[in-house]
Amino acid sequence: MSLPRRGAPDLGDARDRIVAGASSAAAMLEESLAAAGTPPCRHTFVRRFDNQARAAAAAVDTLHAAGAPLPPLAGLAVSIKDLFDVAGQPTTGASAALADAPPATADCPAVARLRAAGAALVGHTNLSEFAFSGLGLNPHHGTPANPVTAALDATPRAPGGSTSGGAVSVATGAAWAALGSDTGGSIRIPAAFQGLVGFKSTQSLVPLDGCIPLSSSLDTACAITRSVADAVRMHAILAARTPRPAVRPLEGLRLAVPRTLMLDGLDDHVAAAFDAALAALSAGGARIVEINLPELAELATLNAAGGLPAAESWTWHRRLLAERGARYDPRVAARIRRGETMSAADYLDLLHARRDWIARVQAAFAGFDAALSPTVPIVAPPLAPLEADDKLFFATNALVLRNPAVVNFLDGCALSLPCQPPGTLPVGLMLWAPAFADDAVLGAALQVESALAAREA
């Protein structure tokens, strides 16, 4: 599959270097492992797999030297969120409650697909405990500070969550891509906060076996990358399918901008970056149509009792909380315990209401290739106040989850890509659509990424 290059070197560029003989998998892996040991990567990994990764890269080089085809991931570094089983390693959800978990006996399917594609798995990355936060804080293993904002602003800022360590591993060069999960934005939020690309595919396309669940109705296994082209590559591997992104001219795209909910409370920098992105796309010929989507205003009521994450996380955690509740992050435990008061009738009513809501939103998308929204209404917030103030933490967490969580409730697909002016704090632009529109979203994102890059040229 031939895909365009955009911006900084990506996984495709790295693979091309190996193909051309300009470097080797082993040499490029050592660069990644060195980056993983630098201060910007502090608190990024829960455990590293250096020896295993070196063996994988060496095996790729041996096969390549013998004339064998280079596998898609070419022995390059890929990090794994500490929710996914890796054979021979414990899976702990970055929680003290599972600190003594036994090693996994086999790779989960998502990891197995990455390994078969030639990935050098460099380690389990840190996350919000059990993936239950959009900000990325972790009191057990420490919180990795946002390395991208650190280069622009002396204030340590949140990395975004829950796939905090995964995003930092990609932003710092410790990995070319990161396997993570997205239940309400956990791939797209850290991508937005760190100027990366995060693609949440349709949930059912990638198996979730061997992954610690948060919400079985919403969890999606997917990846953070450096470019949209890399998002296509990683999705092909994780979903075991051949994506066919419709790479149509920008003039052929009809894009909706829902005004309900998604544009509320934007900070000035996000609002300016979003408006500038829309202007650039419109100038390039895209048809951008503002729409009212009143269904989005219903979400607060539908999820008032904690929603699907509370009900479904309580199912998995209730016994572990009874035995080891004192080892949980209290903020995480409090959110899980909301599910204790939800009855079976409440849960079934919510599932029924969701089906009806999805049908109405899907109908509103007729005639559009995708919708456009800010991924997150704010830039990455300062870290210290969030650590110190529970009220501020929960209010900020709800705000950053608001836009991306719409797509999970829709059972849809979405991609976040950076849209900020150079040299400013990262801002994510989210393209989203209903289920199984993955190729349409990826195709539109390739065009959007190209158009936004062209305005800076």
Side-chain angles (χ1 to χ4, degrees):
M1 183 185 304
S2 178
L3 294 167
R5 297 280 186 270
R6 301 287 176 247
D10 66 3
L11 190 154
D13 294 314
R15 188 180 187 280
D16 286 350
R17 288 190 65 200
I18 298 171
V19 170
S23 188
S24 65
M28 299 198 79
L29 176 65
E30 290 305 323
E31 293 177 8
S32 296
L33 295 180
T38 60
C41 254
R42 186 168 178 255
H43 304 312
T44 294
F45 288 91
V46 175
R47 63 192 62 86
R48 287 173 55 177
F49 313 148
D50 291 23
N51 291 338
Q52 181 182 133
R54 287 188 173 108
V60 167
D61 283 337
T62 298
L63 289 170
H64 187 46
L70 199 66
L73 297 179
L76 295 166
V78 175
S79 67
I80 308 296
K81 190 175 187 177
D82 186 24
L83 289 179
F84 294 88
D85 284 352
V86 175
Q89 304 290 339
T91 310
T92 62
S95 174
L98 291 181
D100 57 353
T105 58
D107 291 336
C108 69
V111 170
R113 290 175 179 181
L114 293 171
R115 198 189 293 275
L121 309 180
V122 292
H124 265 145
T125 52
N126 198 3
L127 60 141
S128 310
E129 183 185 48
F130 292 121
F132 221 143
S133 156
L135 294 168
L137 278 63
N138 188 296
H140 308 298
H141 298 283
T143 300
N146 189 320
V148 177
T149 62
L152 303 167
D153 183 334
T155 303
R157 293 178 178 270
S162 63
T163 313
S164 54
V168 173
S169 74
V170 176
T172 59
W176 291 95
L179 174 65
S181 62
D182 190 308
T183 304
S186 286
I187 284 282
R188 289 161 288 152
I189 295 167
F193 280 177
Q194 297 186 44
L196 300 168
V197 171
F199 177 56
K200 180 229 172 295
S201 59
T202 301
Q203 184 199 36
S204 63
L205 294 180
V206 183
L208 286 161
D209 310 81
C211 176
I212 296 174
L214 172 53
S215 171
S216 57
S217 295
L218 306 175
D219 295 343
T220 307
C222 42
I224 294 172
T225 60
R226 299 184 184 185
S227 68
V228 178
D230 280 357
V232 176
R233 293 183 181 94
M234 289 295 289
H235 176 60
I237 293 163
L238 292 171
R241 62 183 291 264
T242 301
R244 291 181 171 83
V247 185
R248 294 156 45 197
L250 200 61
E251 294 89 341
L253 296 179
R254 189 166 185 263
L255 304 169
V257 176
R259 298 205 60 84
T260 309
L261 185 74
M262 308 293 271
L263 303 183
D264 293 348
L266 305 185
D267 73 25
D268 290 343
H269 182 56
V270 171
F274 182 67
D275 288 345
L278 294 186
L281 298 178
S282 182
R287 296 176 60 195
I288 296 176
V289 182
E290 291 189 355
I291 63 171
N292 292 316
L293 198 56
E295 289 82 3
L296 301 188
E298 302 170 18
L299 288 174
T301 300
L302 287 171
N303 293 300
L308 295 170
E312 294 175 345
S313 64
W314 174 249
T315 300
W316 194 90
H317 284 275
R318 65 189 189 276
R319 293 184 181 86
L320 189 61
L321 274 169
E323 297 170 3
R324 299 184 171 190
R327 301 187 190 182
Y328 276 65
D329 175 353
R331 290 169 170 176
V332 170
R335 295 183 73 195
I336 294 172
R337 289 186 190 281
R338 295 182 72 184
E340 186 174 9
T341 59
M342 292 181 69
S343 68
D346 294 333
Y347 178 66
L348 293 173
D349 283 347
L350 180 54
L351 292 179
H352 176 77
R354 183 192 184 205
R355 286 193 296 271
D356 172 71
W357 185 90
I358 288 173
R360 288 185 282 127
V361 175
Q362 285 178 333
F365 266 82
F368 291 103
D369 295 286
L372 295 172
S373 303
T375 308
V376 186
I378 60 174
V379 296
L383 193 53
L386 297 171
E387 293 175 327
D389 186 333
D390 281 357
K391 184 176 180 181
L392 177 65
F393 170 86
F394 283 114
T396 307
N397 187 58
L399 181 61
V400 302
L401 288 166
R402 185 196 70 199
N403 286 7
V406 167
V407 182
N408 299 79
F409 200 76
L410 179 63
D411 192 25
C413 52
L415 183 141
S416 177
L417 57 86
C419 68
Q420 74 279 355
T424 66
L425 292 176
V427 176
L429 175 67
M430 184 169 68
L431 292 86
W432 55 286
F436 303 110
D438 302 76
D439 289 357
V441 167
L442 289 168
L446 287 166
Q447 295 304 310
V448 169
E449 182 185 50
S450 179
L452 297 183
R455 68 179 174 169
E456 310 299 345

